[in-house]
Amino acid sequence: MILGRAFEDMCAQMYYRGKMFGFVHLYNGQEAVSTGFIKLLKQQDSVVSTYRDHVHALSKGVPARAVMSELFGKTTGCCRGQGGSMHMFSREHNLLGGFAFIGEGIPVATGAAFTSKYKREVLKEADCDHVTLAFFGDGTCNNGQFFECLNMAALWKLPIVFVVENNLWAIGMSHLRATSDPQIYKKGPAFGMPGIHVDGMDVLKVREVAKDAIGRARRGEGPTLVECETYRFRGHSLADPDELRDPAEKAHYAARDPITALKKYLIENSLASEADLKAIDKKIDEVVEDAVEFADESPVPSQSQLLENVFADPKGFGIGPDGRYRCEDPKFTEGTAHV
Amino acid sequence: MLTPFQYLLSGIYLTRYILYSRHELLLFEALQEGLEEEMERDIRVCVMGEDVGHYGGSYKVTKGLAKKFGDLRVLDTPIAENSFTGMGIGAAMTGLRPVVEGMNMGFLLLAFNQISNNCGMLHYTSGGQFTIPIVIRGPGGVGRQLGAEHSQRLESYFQSIPGIQMVACSTPYNAKGLMKAAIRSENPVILFEHVLLYNLKERIPDEDYICNLEEAEMVRPGEHVTILTYSRMRYHVMQAAKTLVNKGYDPEVIDIRSLKPFDLYTIGNSVKKTHRVLIVEECMRTGGIGASLIAAITENFNDYLDAPIMCLSSQDVPTPYAGTLEEVTVVQPAQIVTAVEQLCQ
């Protein structure tokens, strides 16, 4: 959680210093959800996120260096600089994105869960119990793809957990102004799956609920809808002036900061000392500083990278007038070929 | 004991038998055969769509497959195109090779989010980490009075999406070949079938074959004019060709098959030979495949043209229900004949 917080704070700094661009959506305040869920997963389990995906990536194990480089648009980024803030992917860590349009990642997550079931039942990999987590927000819960996937996941008992990070706001639209019945967790049973509500500012409570839901999915008992009540301390993105939210509401949730709460819990229960916690803070600062340094020193993509990953099989660019495939044109690897 | 001559003769007959042994089937059966063979060949190939399983597909392309391969490999989905197409994409990213059927291509308009953003882009935005070996297929085109919404030509809508390939089948031979090639391709491929072509009959080879996804098909070599077409219009063109031949013309007919990317080699060689081009398509005029083809030919082969390129497309109207109006919405053989005569003046 500390890594998530420190990383996101550094992102804000770097953005205002002109090192990263575009739409950057920070996760401050929601760390308990990412940590509470993702730290229970195995490497082969999959995570699908939205544009607010930096911390999901970090929790899943994508190195801070790779994420920071991606944000700087460098070729050493996890997506070679081609994805950016809203499109974090990692094959190695089974992070299936990073999606800009809300809701469009949920079917992809459903597909990953389908593959898990297919592996067990068709490919006969009897011990395949891979689980997929789909993270998305309150705004997404009014979107068709959400409901369509709840239906399909329950219908086929897919090993997936739908994790709603209800931070009460979709940019400037309050959840209460957008939703006829704002209690999202209640929509689970309508589709035949349990719907759980949890305090998303408390990492230990999130973890308990996550254990149950992930366990259900692993045992083949089907999907769960978990609504985490959480809050984002910053605006929707770094471009959002954040003028609509009531300061009293912000103060209320600031007092429930998940990191402060866990620190307090650890100290009160003698699980760690102040010195231990300070050491963690320091170590994380070093990791983040190192990530920035690495990103700074990394090269920007050259034009040669432009055409490489459009197609997995570059024959897809077709046959040119001279009878050769376009990708055989030497200019193709320079990124200057006419395609 | 056979003489050497008898061995040679039987060898020739055997080779001919192997090379040329064929069986006759209808286009939808050819698609089914291609799909079935690929499903037998690779256990990761699966089908998803509405009524593909127990119903056997609205045009019978998946008939019998659910019984053979099971309900999970031939998945009957709820009516949720955007989500089940996205599900297919997620499955493709995680190791499967799905074939997603749009019951009618028009329904895939609901899946545009997934097809544009995820199908076309994910390989790129993930920096090449994830491949999407998905095939999206289904019947489209103008049928017999099916009404505007069931008579759409989405090839023009999808053609700008970077990262996808589009092919259109027109004969049982290329239907099976393109289906197999599309399934084996690591790229996302959209395979356009036509509602009125499913019952075409042809004898196709017994042995395994695929059609190259990026190549056009020479239908009738000729000298006077290059006619570029695809899908159902190929048959209107061939009908017009008969009339044209009787009138003394020698048209070269090419079924472009690959709608994205264009096979500029086959097309270019033809243009260099005939110097006159007529495009006959079922797309609407505005922003259609023809429009892109004109741009590509002008850009690459302008010096070889003796006349401006002519393009016959469907009228820019929602396809009317009334038969008489529907008939004049699409290009008819008589118009093709007139166009060639004009072009060759």
Side-chain angles (χ1 to χ4, degrees):
Chain A
M1 293 199 291
I2 304 240
L3 175 60
R5 181 70 60 87
F7 190 93
E8 297 291 72
D9 281 338
M10 183 59 78
C11 283
Q13 267 193 60
M14 292 296 114
Y15 188 83
Y16 294 124
R17 277 201 220 162
K19 297 282 181 79
M20 63 178 79
F21 308 92
F23 292 127
V24 179
H25 310 83
L26 300 180
Y27 198 72
N28 298 45
Q30 300 182 200
E31 295 87 355
V33 181
S34 184
T35 300
F37 267 95
I38 300 180
K39 288 304 178 189
L40 289 170
L41 295 181
K42 302 187 286 201
Q43 179 147 1
Q44 307 96 306
D45 295 321
S46 299
V47 165
V48 172
S49 177
T50 61
Y51 46 70
R52 203 178 300 282
D53 56 353
H54 306 170
V55 181
H56 294 138
L58 295 170
S59 294
K60 193 65 174 64
V62 183
R65 283 183 162 193
V67 182
M68 192 60 83
S69 287
E70 185 61 33
L71 292 168
F72 281 28
K74 300 296 181 80
T75 188
T76 48
C78 54
C79 300
R80 309 181 80 198
Q82 290 165 193
S85 169
M86 298 183 281
H87 303 285
M88 294 290 166
F89 288 85
S90 168
R91 196 186 181 87
E92 188 192 332
H93 299 98
N94 288 299
L95 174 66
L96 304 176
F99 292 92
F101 285 26
I102 57 138
E104 72 179 357
I106 307 178
V108 172
T110 309
F114 177 82
T115 300
S116 179
K117 183 181 167 90
Y118 192 97
K119 280 188 174 153
R120 198 170 39 226
E121 295 181 20
V122 178
L123 303 184
K124 308 289 185 210
E125 293 171 22
D127 53 357
C128 176
D129 60 355
H130 303 161
V131 165
T132 305
L133 300 184
F135 290 90
F136 48 92
D138 43 284
T140 305
C141 294
N142 293 322
N143 184 276
Q145 287 173 101
F146 169 63
F147 298 111
E148 288 173 4
C149 290
L150 285 184
N151 178 46
M152 292 197 291
L155 188 62
W156 299 314
K157 277 213 161 85
L158 299 181
I160 185 171
V161 183
F162 297 101
V163 185
V164 182
E165 295 178 301
N166 183 353
N167 60 21
L168 300 177
W169 290 87
I171 309 187
M173 191 62 170
S174 151
H175 176 57
L176 302 171
R177 289 184 69 220
T179 317
S180 54
D181 182 351
Q183 293 179 296
I184 301 170
Y185 70 95
K186 282 193 182 160
K187 300 179 188 184
F191 288 90
M193 72 181 80
I196 320 272
H197 179 272
V198 68
D199 175 2
M201 307 305 275
D202 183 331
V203 67
L204 297 175
K205 288 195 184 136
V206 172
R207 191 182 159 89
E208 281 309 304
V209 164
K211 249 193 232 166
D212 279 341
I214 294 171
R216 258 178 59 83
R218 261 200 227 296
R219 292 187 301 270
E221 291 165 24
T224 313
L225 175 65
V226 180
E227 178 185 352
C228 304
E229 183 193 327
T230 182
Y231 203 74
R232 50 168 166 81
F233 294 157
R234 291 180 178 269
H236 163 73
S237 72
L238 289 173
D240 174 18
D242 193 16
E243 289 160 347
L244 283 178
R245 298 193 301 173
D246 184 0
E249 182 187 82
K250 292 189 203 178
H252 168 79
Y253 282 100
R256 289 164 61 184
D257 185 328
I259 293 175
T260 320
L262 185 65
K263 277 185 176 169
K264 184 156 172 270
Y265 176 88
L266 290 172
I267 304 233
E268 279 175 3
N269 290 282
S270 305
L271 294 164
S273 67
E274 284 277 1
D276 292 331
L277 297 178
K278 279 219 162 50
I280 294 177
D281 276 332
K282 183 161 179 297
K283 184 158 153 268
I284 293 298
D285 281 341
E286 282 167 18
V287 168
V288 175
E289 291 281 351
D290 169 78
V292 171
E293 219 180 282
F294 176 79
D296 251 336
E297 288 166 8
S298 290
V300 287
S302 65
Q303 185 158 8
S304 62
Q305 205 179 296
L306 183 67
L307 304 170
E308 273 168 10
N309 303 128
V310 178
F311 287 106
D313 178 359
K315 299 225 300 276
F317 278 119
I319 302 170
D322 61 1
R324 287 187 309 172
Y325 273 94
R326 301 266 203 205
C327 57
E328 289 165 8
D329 178 344
K331 292 215 217 108
F332 183 83
T333 42
E334 290 166 29
T336 54
H338 178 79
V339 290
Chain B
M1 269 297 289
L2 296 178
T3 66
F5 177 72
Q6 282 170 317
Y7 266 121
L8 186 61
L9 206 57
S10 40
I12 292 173
Y13 282 130
L14 190 63
T15 311
R16 272 186 63 189
Y17 177 75
I18 291 169
L19 282 181
Y20 299 118
S21 64
R22 290 166 174 261
H23 56 289
E24 188 178 74
L25 44 50
L26 305 179
L27 195 146
F28 80 87
E29 292 169 329
L31 287 166
Q32 183 194 40
E33 218 175 69
L35 185 50
E36 193 172 341
E37 283 174 20
E38 291 306 298
M39 289 180 80
E40 278 166 356
R41 181 178 177 269
D42 187 340
I43 196 174
R44 299 168 300 165
V45 179
C46 55
V47 183
M48 303 175 177
E50 293 157 10
D51 274 327
V52 296
H54 295 188
Y55 195 75
S58 54
Y59 288 90
K60 296 181 282 191
V61 172
T62 51
K63 187 157 166 232
L65 296 183
K67 267 218 176 72
K68 182 168 177 182
F69 296 107
D71 282 350
L72 207 57
R73 279 191 83 184
V74 187
L75 187 73
D76 276 325
T77 61
I79 305 173
E81 276 78 4
N82 205 16
S83 289
F84 70 70
T85 303
M87 195 175 92
I89 292 166
M93 286 167 78
T94 45
L96 300 186
R97 305 186 75 89
V99 178
V100 173
E101 175 175 306
M103 186 185 266
N104 182 286
M105 273 310 219
F107 301 169
L108 292 180
L109 286 171
L110 287 127
F112 217 109
N113 180 180
Q114 292 292 338
I115 295 175
S116 172
N117 286 7
N118 291 346
C119 198
M121 293 190 194
L122 280 188
H123 185 72
Y124 196 77
T125 51
S126 68
Q129 292 182 82
F130 290 99
T131 54
I132 323 242
I134 195 173
V135 177
I136 297 175
R137 50 155 292 271
V142 176
R144 301 238 185 273
Q145 299 189 252
L146 300 180
E149 291 176 13
H150 281 82
S151 311
Q152 302 196 64
R153 285 80 79 202
L154 295 194
E155 52 268 24
S156 59
Y157 295 31
F158 290 134
Q159 66 174 320
S160 295
I161 300 173
I164 56 156
Q165 284 185 246
M166 305 196 310
V167 289
C169 63
S170 50
T171 66
Y173 179 83
N174 66 33
K176 178 175 176 181
L178 289 173
M179 170 74 92
K180 289 169 74 97
I183 292 174
R184 292 187 197 183
S185 173
E186 294 304 311
N187 297 335
V189 179
I190 305 186
L191 170 57
F192 290 90
E193 301 155 17
H194 196 287
V195 282
L196 293 181
L197 298 184
Y198 282 122
N199 290 327
L200 283 179
K201 202 184 281 192
E202 192 181 359
R203 293 184 69 77
I204 67 170
D206 286 347
E207 89 272 1
D208 199 57
Y209 72 92
I210 59 169
C211 289
N212 192 319
L213 288 174
E214 296 89 27
E215 275 178 15
E217 189 179 312
M218 177 65 69
V219 183
R220 180 191 190 281
E223 299 289 323
H224 288 166
V225 58
T226 299
I227 306 182
L228 303 172
T229 184
Y230 66 93
S231 192
R232 180 180 170 228
M233 286 298 114
R234 166 185 174 139
Y235 295 93
H236 282 201
V237 167
M238 289 311 286
Q239 212 180 317
K242 277 204 206 113
T243 312
L244 286 167
V245 165
N246 286 341
K247 291 189 174 202
Y249 294 94
D250 186 22
E252 177 152 290
V253 180
I254 294 174
D255 183 336
I256 62 171
R257 248 171 37 185
S258 179
L259 306 182
K260 182 187 166 96
F262 296 135
D263 175 359
L264 289 180
Y265 184 59
T266 306
I267 293 170
N269 286 348
S270 183
V271 176
K272 289 175 188 175
K273 181 167 60 161
T274 68
H275 312 295
R276 288 164 212 281
V277 180
L278 170 66
I279 299 169
V280 180
E281 60 167 358
E282 205 175 298
C283 258
M284 282 76 77
R285 168 163 309 286
T286 304
I289 298 292
S292 295
L293 206 41
I294 293 176
I297 295 172
T298 313
E299 199 169 40
N300 287 287
F301 310 115
N302 196 44
D303 288 344
Y304 296 96
L305 292 170
D306 282 349
I309 304 171
M310 279 189 79
C311 182
L312 297 177
S313 318
S314 293
Q315 298 291 326
D316 273 7
V317 300
T319 313
Y321 163 72
T324 45
L325 289 178
E326 183 183 72
E327 206 179 300
V328 295
T329 313
V330 298
V331 178
Q332 298 296 340
Q335 292 166 269
I336 303 172
V337 172
T338 310
V340 170
E341 288 176 327
Q342 232 179 309
L343 201 48
C344 290
Q345 259 165 12

